[in-house]
Amino acid sequence: MIVKSEFPILEYSTDKIAVINPDREASKADREGQGAGGFGRFPRLCLVTFFEEVLKGAVEQYGGEKIGTYVSEMKDFHVYRFSVEGTEVCAVQAVVASGSIAMMTEMLYGSGVEVIVCCGGCGVLDDIPEGTIIIPVWALRDEGASYKYLPPARFIELQSGPILRFREVLSGHGIPYIECATWSTDGFYRETKEMVAIAQFRGKVFGQILYSGDILTGGAEDYDDRDWNNNVSAREKLFALALEALCRL
């Protein structure tokens, strides 16, 4: 049933069976002994990261093997499997924009993934020092994809399970952090995106951890990117912390 609205973006279908379902190709591949992209099924734990260079380092460090590919007009995003202290996980670089990340997330869940942890960076709207670790606990829904998965609402809460694991890991290492809301939008020059709506719709698990990057307070003439894209140490640290939290889920 479609819940009608004056505005198409706010219309919501209660039917969970779509014309094209993410597990359709996965089921076909299973019958043929293959998974997504002609590879095997994915591990239940998956790390999605913004950081291509850190992912490459992790693949080399843990001896990762390519097990699938998300094919995009931007490029091919390969999925890698490796083991962390006896726990099997997979990892992939995130695509950009809510529509694209929704399709990637559906591919991962349809290929056997049950839990996704995402690590990335974000702009900040307060005087937060660069490199501060942030746990999002809810998000302002100002993008399009989540409205295809959940009824219209201003905010969405992130799941408590991953948040608890992030707190445990960060506290265990004596690393300070803050909890806050994220602003989720499709407009690149308005900032960021979110995946939690898909996880709730599919009955899966999703959590996200970020580090503070550019600062977006003040006028355009005051903008400071703080060279956040080159903060390699913060990215490597965040990736390791996210991986540790993932293995606890």
Side-chain angles (χ1 to χ4, degrees):
M1 182 183 75
I2 294 184
V3 180
K4 293 290 187 178
S5 170
E6 180 183 357
F7 306 104
I9 195 172
L10 299 181
E11 292 187 343
Y12 174 72
S13 174
T14 59
D15 192 349
K16 289 186 179 276
I17 305 299
V19 176
I20 302 175
N21 294 288
D23 57 355
R24 182 185 67 165
E25 290 301 322
S27 298
K28 176 183 177 183
D30 281 346
R31 292 194 297 270
E32 298 173 352
Q34 300 175 327
F39 297 84
R41 295 280 284 174
F42 298 169
R44 64 176 293 271
L45 302 176
C46 182
L47 181 61
V48 176
T49 179
F50 294 11
F51 314 139
E52 181 179 18
E53 74 285 357
V54 179
L55 175 60
K56 181 180 179 182
V59 169
E60 294 174 355
Q61 176 184 352
Y62 293 106
E65 62 169 329
K66 185 169 69 174
I67 60 170
T69 301
Y70 175 78
V71 179
S72 166
E73 294 294 341
M74 290 178 272
K75 70 171 189 176
D76 288 347
F77 293 81
H78 301 307
V79 183
Y80 298 93
R81 175 171 53 208
F82 49 87
S83 180
V84 181
E85 297 183 355
T87 300
E88 188 180 60
V89 304
C90 61
V92 63
Q93 182 190 358
V95 292
V96 176
S98 69
S100 296
I101 199 65
M103 289 188 288
M104 173 180 277
T105 304
E106 290 277 32
M107 181 273 286
L108 293 170
Y109 286 142
S111 298
V113 169
E114 295 289 333
V115 178
I116 291 177
V117 162
C118 180
C119 68
C122 65
V124 296
L125 299 174
D126 203 348
D127 187 17
I128 299 172
E130 181 189 3
T132 299
I133 292 180
I134 299 169
I135 303 176
V137 294
W138 45 281
L140 176 66
R141 293 170 62 188
D142 183 28
E143 38 62 53
S146 72
Y147 291 90
K148 301 300 180 185
Y149 291 89
L150 296 176
R154 180 168 293 273
F155 295 102
I156 185 171
E157 293 186 5
L158 275 82
Q159 297 169 342
S160 61
I163 291 173
L164 291 174
R165 299 291 86 78
F166 290 142
R167 290 170 179 163
E168 287 177 1
V169 169
L170 293 169
S171 298
H173 288 280
I175 297 174
Y177 62 90
I178 63 174
E179 298 182 4
C180 68
T182 61
W183 174 20
S184 175
T185 176
D186 283 331
F188 178 80
Y189 291 103
R190 297 287 195 259
E191 276 286 270
T192 71
K193 60 188 180 305
E194 198 53 83
M195 291 189 292
V196 67
I198 305 165
Q200 291 196 19
F201 181 82
R202 297 293 178 195
K204 309 294 185 180
V205 178
F206 173 79
Q208 187 172 43
I209 188 170
L210 305 167
Y211 80 96
S212 57
D214 50 341
I215 187 163
L216 304 172
T217 56
E221 67 280 0
D222 301 320
Y223 172 72
D224 182 4
D225 71 356
R226 301 197 288 195
D227 199 30
W228 77 289
N229 282 321
N230 294 314
N231 193 341
V232 176
S233 61
R235 290 171 172 232
E236 290 177 340
K237 178 173 71 174
L238 194 71
F239 185 95
L241 293 167
L243 195 57
E244 183 175 341
L246 175 67
C247 290
R248 299 188 185 192
L249 288 163

